[in-house]
Amino acid sequence: MISNPTPQRALRGHMPQRPTPRAATTGEHHAQLAGRLTHRDRWLARMLYEHKVFTTQQIVELCYPSMRAANHRLLDLFKWRVVDRFQPFVTTGTAPMHYVLDIAGAVALAYEDGVDPKSIGYRHEDAIGIAHSLRLAHTVGVNGFFTAMVALSRRPGARRSLTAWWSELRCGRLFGDMVRPDAYGRWREDDLQLEFFLEFDFGTEDLGKLSHKLYGYERLAAATGITTPVLIRLPTQRRETSARRALADCLSQLDRPRLVPLATTAADAAGDPAAARWLPITGPATRHPGRLRLVELTQLWPQPDLPGDVPASSSVPAQQGPAALTAPDPFPPASPASRFRRRP
């Protein structure tokens, strides 16, 4: 007699799934895609080229009205080899689906920009290889920071928008010999705009190494003549307190600390990225302003109204590398009117 039977839930596992048929990346298939890919599909492919990986929820925040609509279209793009997907291992529950750019999507983007697909530095092994990268969580975290800002921009009647978003790789091409931020962004709200560099800290980096990056930002500001604020996101408020002490000490040792405006926030602070969660690091003689909204940082660090979507700091000569595709607009293209819509 079995006195301690194995619970049924312990015998459960993932049900075997039927393989989804996928298209072969032939010339005929690429020709068929010309009539299948919408403006939004091409924009999403370009975003994946720029930022490497998005979860399903992040893609919904970027350009879809619902999870259901996103899943239906992403399945088509997966079958057509425009995107590829994977699920990382997690100890409990199920990880969300992660999407990367696939071969057909990269070829379409290259010819759209008039360059040889071999010259853009895309390799499918590298794209899907991020599934095993130790930087996967960091990359997803950085992208989630910005997709939340895009979601704010897409709300009906929103008077704020993310007008530029550059990846770590693109920033590295421009000024990687001085500093390599995790991302660059430009936020516009109430006729004010703030361009910034983002440092996304997971709590694993030594605080001395984090604060030492300020020397590179000082060199960049001196070389370009443009003062660009640096926003540092930390995992907890406890970590933020420790980091602020280290950053303030390093800032006081700079020759021109005014060239490196700093503000910090913590992941456990309430509010979206544009809310009142940013705490500037100011000099000892300055009154502590408390936590500010993102746009309120412009009151501390006024910036010129710079037209276009190119960072002011990009006046530094770019480093040589693979032919880079055009940076995508972080805001999705407008959906065209349906051909089947009823006339009033």
Side-chain angles (χ1 to χ4, degrees), residues 167-183 197-199 209-221 224 228 230 260 313 316 319:
S167 66
E168 177 184 5
L169 183 60
R170 190 173 294 272
C171 291
R173 291 195 190 103
L174 282 173
F175 24 75
D177 58 334
M178 299 183 188
V179 69
R180 195 181 184 94
D182 291 323
F197 293 119
L198 176 69
E199 290 288 345
K209 183 179 180 180
L210 177 64
S211 59
H212 189 74
K213 294 181 180 180
L214 301 187
Y215 291 98
Y217 285 111
E218 182 188 33
R219 288 177 54 203
L220 178 63
T224 61
T228 304
V230 180
V260 191
S313 300
V316 177
Q319 299 183 21

Side-chain angles (χ1 to χ4, degrees), residues 9-53:
R9 63 177 178 274
L11 301 176
R12 296 173 184 166
H14 291 290
M15 295 183 62
Q17 297 181 352
R18 290 175 296 178
T20 303
R22 306 189 68 195
T25 53
T26 62
E28 181 181 1
H29 173 62
H30 292 314
Q32 291 175 350
L33 281 181
R36 294 177 176 177
L37 296 182
T38 66
H39 293 303
R40 182 174 60 184
D41 296 335
R42 296 177 182 275
W43 175 84
L44 178 59
R46 193 174 294 273
M47 290 289 284
L48 285 170
Y49 173 82
E50 177 80 13
H51 304 291
K52 295 186 178 181
V53 59

Side-chain angles (χ1 to χ4, degrees), residues 65-307:
S66 67
M67 183 70 72
R68 181 180 177 86
N71 283 330
H72 275 289
R73 189 57 178 175
L74 288 171
L75 179 59
D76 287 338
L77 297 179
F78 173 72
K79 292 178 179 178
W80 299 339
R81 300 296 298 272
V82 177
V83 302
D84 206 347
R85 64 188 186 184
F86 64 90
Q87 280 183 291
F89 171 78
V90 291
T91 55
T92 59
T94 303
M97 197 68 74
H98 290 54
Y99 289 88
V100 299
L101 185 65
D102 207 342
I103 297 173
V107 170
L109 292 182
Y111 284 121
E112 189 176 273
D113 278 21
V115 298
D116 187 343
K118 298 180 180 178
S119 68
I120 65 175
Y122 172 84
R123 293 177 68 248
H124 182 250
E125 294 83 357
D126 295 335
I128 199 66
I130 198 173
H132 306 281
S133 173
L134 296 179
R135 289 180 57 85
L136 173 61
H138 180 272
T139 304
V140 171
V142 172
N143 291 347
F145 180 92
F146 283 95
T147 59
M149 301 182 79
V150 174
L152 292 174
S153 307
R154 295 179 61 211
R155 290 181 179 176
R159 297 182 56 189
R160 49 187 180 176
S161 62
L162 182 69
T163 59
W165 171 17
W166 282 23
S167 66
E168 177 184 5
L169 183 60
R170 190 173 294 272
C171 291
R173 291 195 190 103
L174 282 173
F175 24 75
D177 58 334
M178 299 183 188
V179 69
R180 195 181 184 94
D182 291 323
Y184 160 87
R186 179 181 290 174
W187 180 251
R188 182 179 292 274
E189 183 176 349
D190 297 333
D191 297 326
L192 298 173
Q193 71 173 2
L194 178 78
E195 65 169 1
F196 60 90
F197 293 119
L198 176 69
E199 290 288 345
F200 194 91
D201 178 72
F202 249 133
T204 57
E205 187 175 25
D206 180 71
L207 290 180
K209 183 179 180 180
L210 177 64
S211 59
H212 189 74
K213 294 181 180 180
L214 301 187
Y215 291 98
Y217 285 111
E218 182 188 33
R219 288 177 54 203
L220 178 63
T224 61
I226 301 295
T227 300
T228 304
V230 180
L231 306 184
I232 302 177
R233 181 268 190 197
L234 299 127
T236 63
Q237 294 189 34
R238 182 176 180 180
R239 169 83 170 175
E240 182 185 17
T241 301
S242 301
R244 288 179 62 83
R245 288 195 295 265
L247 291 167
D249 289 342
C250 183
L251 197 63
S252 64
Q253 299 173 18
L254 299 181
D255 295 332
R256 288 165 288 183
R258 290 184 174 272
L259 295 182
V260 191
L262 286 175
T264 64
T265 189
D268 53 3
D272 54 65
R277 56 182 301 167
W278 296 100
L279 193 59
I281 298 180
T282 55
T286 307
R287 185 176 64 85
H288 197 288
R291 294 195 181 268
L292 303 175
R293 293 168 54 226
L294 189 60
V295 71
E296 291 175 340
L297 294 176
T298 58
Q299 300 174 6
L300 297 178
W301 312 312
Q303 295 184 311
D305 188 10
L306 301 168

Side-chain angles (χ1 to χ4, degrees), residues 52-69:
K52 295 186 178 181
V53 59
F54 290 121
T55 66
T56 309
Q57 178 59 41
Q58 290 173 351
I59 292 176
V60 172
E61 292 177 333
L62 283 173
C63 57
Y64 283 95
S66 67
M67 183 70 72
R68 181 180 177 86

